[in-house]
Amino acid sequence: MKRTITKHLLIATAFMHLAGCSSSGAHKKDDDILRSLTKEQKVTLLAMLEEYEDNQRAINAWKSHQPSLIRLSEIEEDLKTLIVQLSVLSQKRTTDSTTKSSQSPSNRVPTQPALKPSPASPTAVPAKREHSDVAKVSEPRIGYAVQLTALDSVEKLNAYWNQISRGYPTIVGAQVPFYEKTVDDNGKTLLRLKFGEFKSYREANITCEQMRSKGGSCFVNKNTEGTDLL
């Protein structure tokens, strides 16, 4: 215990000498103490003093480099953030590149160009139309037609045409009847029952006269448009 106290006292004395804190009287007394040290104690004291000086230099170096180290720490955080951003950007570019590659012409399935319809050769419009079971909209008609009657419904027109086709089979033949909408003076919508697309008034009138000679009723007018009667 006494040896440990002496050791600490010697160290404190040495530190005071180094710091220049001792008075002249105390300095002489300390010199006496140092002279009384054994060689082993002096070696130990010298080693401890050197260690102390090394520690002081390390502390001073740390203090001088502390701002730089703090800045390096901040830069390290910035670099981590930058690395994350670059990684996200790289993934986005890879995705965009893959998408563009899949959409490039070389990766598209070749398709055959649409065939253009060949121009239809001009043909004469037939005077007669074939009957169809498919409903048709009103379409332009050419020439002249024989009008039979004007009624207010398609059902009535069908019934009337059935009577005509049975009563005058040799006259109407394979003609396809059609109707044309009109409005009378009272604002009522009527459907004019007609057949034929005769090239001239005379040709249509001959057919109409044949029906009249057999007791039928009809007259001729010019075609505009009409819807096939089903």
Side-chain angles (χ1 to χ4, degrees):
M1 180 70 177
K2 182 178 180 180
R3 185 175 180 181
T4 302
I5 294 173
T6 302
K7 181 178 179 181
H8 285 291
L9 179 61
L10 291 173
I11 293 172
T13 301
F15 286 166
M16 290 176 67
H17 272 284
L18 291 174
C21 297
S22 59
S23 62
S24 59
H27 183 70
K28 182 178 180 181
K29 186 176 180 179
D30 293 338
D31 289 341
D32 294 338
I33 294 174
L34 291 174
R35 281 194 296 271
S36 65
L37 295 176
T38 64
K39 183 178 180 180
E40 181 182 359
Q41 290 174 334
K42 289 180 179 181
V43 171
T44 302
L45 179 60
L46 182 60
M48 296 181 69
L49 289 174
E50 290 178 352
E51 183 180 357
Y52 170 78
E53 291 176 352
D54 291 341
N55 290 336
Q56 284 296 113
R57 284 193 292 270
I59 291 172
N60 292 334
W62 162 253
K63 289 181 179 180
S64 63
H65 291 91
Q66 186 176 10
S68 299
L69 294 174
I70 293 174
R71 179 55 185 159
L72 285 175
S73 178
E74 294 174 351
I75 292 175
E76 183 180 5
E77 293 298 324
D78 293 341
L79 286 175
K80 289 181 180 179
T81 303
L82 181 59
I83 290 172
V84 172
Q85 293 176 349
L86 289 175
S87 177
V88 173
L89 181 60
S90 177
Q91 292 178 358
K92 184 177 183 301
R93 287 183 176 178
T94 301
T95 303
D96 293 344
S97 176
T98 303
T99 303
K100 289 180 180 179
S101 176
S102 63
Q103 294 178 350
S104 63
S106 60
N107 292 330
R108 294 177 184 171
V109 178
T111 57
Q112 294 182 349
L115 297 177
K116 295 183 179 180
S118 57
S121 58
T123 56
V125 179
K128 298 180 181 180
R129 293 174 179 265
E130 296 296 332
H131 183 70
S132 173
D133 292 334
V134 180
K136 295 182 179 180
V137 296
S138 179
E139 56 186 11
R141 308 281 168 161
I142 64 171
Y144 294 84
V146 175
Q147 180 172 327
L148 302 174
T149 186
L151 301 173
D152 58 3
S153 70
V154 175
E155 290 77 10
K156 292 180 180 180
L157 293 183
N158 274 312
Y160 192 87
W161 176 255
N162 288 334
Q163 294 177 5
I164 294 297
S165 59
R166 287 195 300 267
Y168 309 95
T170 59
I171 298 176
V172 297
Q175 295 283 355
V176 177
F178 60 91
Y179 61 89
E180 177 185 273
K181 289 184 179 181
T182 186
V183 179
D184 64 11
D185 295 337
N186 297 322
K188 183 179 180 180
T189 299
L190 295 175
L191 307 177
R192 295 173 176 172
L193 179 60
K194 300 181 178 183
F195 70 88
E197 289 181 275
F198 299 96
K199 295 180 180 180
S200 65
Y201 178 88
R202 180 176 177 278
E203 185 179 348
N205 192 53
I206 291 174
T207 301
C208 186
E209 288 293 340
Q210 290 175 352
M211 291 189 66
R212 288 174 183 168
S213 65
K214 294 181 179 294
S217 174
C218 63
F219 61 91
V220 176
N221 57 19
K222 190 170 180 61
N223 271 328
T224 55
E225 62 179 7
T227 304
D228 286 347
L229 182 66
L230 301 181

